[in-house]
Amino acid sequence: MQGTTLQDTILQVADIQKYYGSPGSLTKAVDHVSFSVAKGEFLGIMGASGSGKTTLLNCISTVDHVTSGHIYVEGNDITSLRGGQLADFRGRKLGFIFQDLNLLDTLTAEENISLSLSIAGVKPLQIRARVAQIAEALRITETLSKYPYQMSGGQQQRVAAARAMVKEPAIVLADEPTGALDTHSSRMLLDLLSELNGRLAATILMVTHDPFSASYCSRILFLKDGRLFHELNRGDNSRKAFFARILEVVSVLGGEPNDLV
């Protein structure tokens, strides 16, 4: 394992492969990838188009099945789950930060946040307590009675983050979360992810094409042709210094930062 110990490992990816196509014409989207993520870590995944980073995330989120290898979340092999077990795992252990937030317009902030708990059969008193707790932590208590159209962009982001965190997931997954946002909104979302990681100790795995977004992470894995190409740890570096190091790796990967998608 890289970067963690057995005691604090939340996610372990063990020699996974994901192939597409027929035996005579295989595409190796993910090719013998192994790494692990520690509790409370903010990990970024970067790579050029076709590098396999989205496929890797899909395998971790159980949207896709690995061809071989194993993925463990809190020590449990999720590659062996099927059907209802998969749905239960996603509902309990994964939080998602979507690019378009995906808030339901007909529900208040409180109802949006509590929906997954209701579906999971959590008792109403417990739901109210957990929603109140996460709303206070993210400073959106006064927003709970509002509908999405009544909220600012920043409030909507915090409600979406509260929805992801209220289940107390093992890991939060973010796929290109700033891809469709303007500069101001992107900065707010990245600051929010840093807040979730720092104040709430959320374990976050973010796929991004953007070196600026990646500079918010504590560690970055770079993929090339389905394989791990390089790893960067931020350590004690400032975000500005880390950003410069990321750009150096991007240039070696071959392509301008904006070409990484």
Side-chain angles (χ1 to χ4, degrees):
M1 286 186 287
Q2 304 171 26
T4 64
T5 65
L6 288 174
Q7 287 75 21
D8 64 8
T9 298
I10 288 290
L11 170 69
Q12 182 184 0
V13 175
D15 194 31
I16 68 166
Q17 299 181 78
K18 179 61 183 180
Y19 294 172
Y20 294 104
S22 61
S25 179
L26 286 178
T27 298
K28 299 180 180 180
V30 178
D31 191 10
H32 293 288
V33 168
S34 297
F35 64 92
S36 49
V37 181
K39 184 176 182 180
E41 188 172 11
F42 190 170
L43 179 73
I45 305 286
M46 294 191 75
S49 178
S51 64
K53 62 186 185 299
T54 297
T55 301
L56 174 61
L57 187 71
N58 286 342
C59 290
I60 293 170
S61 66
T62 69
V63 170
D64 212 343
H65 296 295
V66 300
T67 302
S68 65
H70 298 274
I71 300 173
Y72 302 90
V73 174
E74 293 184 327
N76 298 308
D77 186 358
I78 66 172
T79 54
S80 65
L81 301 179
R82 295 291 184 272
Q85 292 177 320
L86 272 177
D88 181 63
F89 165 75
R90 290 191 201 106
R92 291 187 302 107
K93 294 298 182 180
L94 299 181
F96 295 92
I97 301 292
F98 298 100
Q99 192 177 96
D100 58 2
L101 302 182
N102 284 355
L103 296 179
L104 297 177
D105 292 334
T106 57
L107 300 182
T108 64
E110 182 174 12
E111 291 166 340
N112 267 285
I113 296 168
S114 63
L115 184 59
S116 62
L117 297 178
S118 299
I119 293 172
V122 178
K123 295 180 180 179
L125 284 177
Q126 292 178 306
I127 292 176
R128 284 195 289 272
R130 288 168 66 173
V131 170
Q133 183 180 33
I134 193 66
E136 182 178 359
L138 291 176
R139 299 186 295 278
I140 53 171
T141 300
E142 296 180 356
T143 308
L144 290 178
S145 62
K146 293 183 178 180
Y147 291 90
Y149 73 89
Q150 297 173 313
M151 305 175 200
S152 67
Q155 288 173 329
Q156 290 182 16
Q157 287 180 352
R158 287 182 174 271
V159 170
R163 180 187 57 195
M165 291 298 297
V166 74
K167 299 181 297 182
E168 300 177 346
I171 189 166
V172 174
L173 304 176
D175 186 7
E176 301 281 7
T178 63
L181 300 178
D182 59 39
T183 300
H184 177 67
S185 298
S186 295
R187 195 70 170 262
M188 285 197 303
L189 179 56
L190 292 167
D191 287 340
L192 176 57
L193 289 175
S194 290
E195 184 179 343
L196 293 179
N197 177 244
R199 291 183 57 240
L200 302 183
T203 305
I204 301 174
L205 192 157
M206 177 175 70
V207 165
T208 181
H209 71 281
D210 177 29
F212 179 79
S213 298
S215 69
Y216 280 75
C217 300
S218 56
R219 181 164 64 108
I220 302 172
L221 301 179
F222 296 85
L223 293 185
K224 183 176 183 179
D225 300 327
R227 288 179 170 267
L228 287 181
F229 172 77
H230 193 65
E231 176 178 333
L232 278 183
N233 285 278
R234 179 172 174 177
D236 295 327
N237 289 327
S238 67
R239 194 168 57 76
K240 182 177 180 180
F242 194 39
F243 175 66
R245 293 176 62 199
I246 294 168
L247 290 179
E248 290 176 2
V249 178
V250 167
S251 67
V252 173
L253 276 170
E256 294 301 315
N258 289 337
D259 292 333
L260 289 179
V261 295

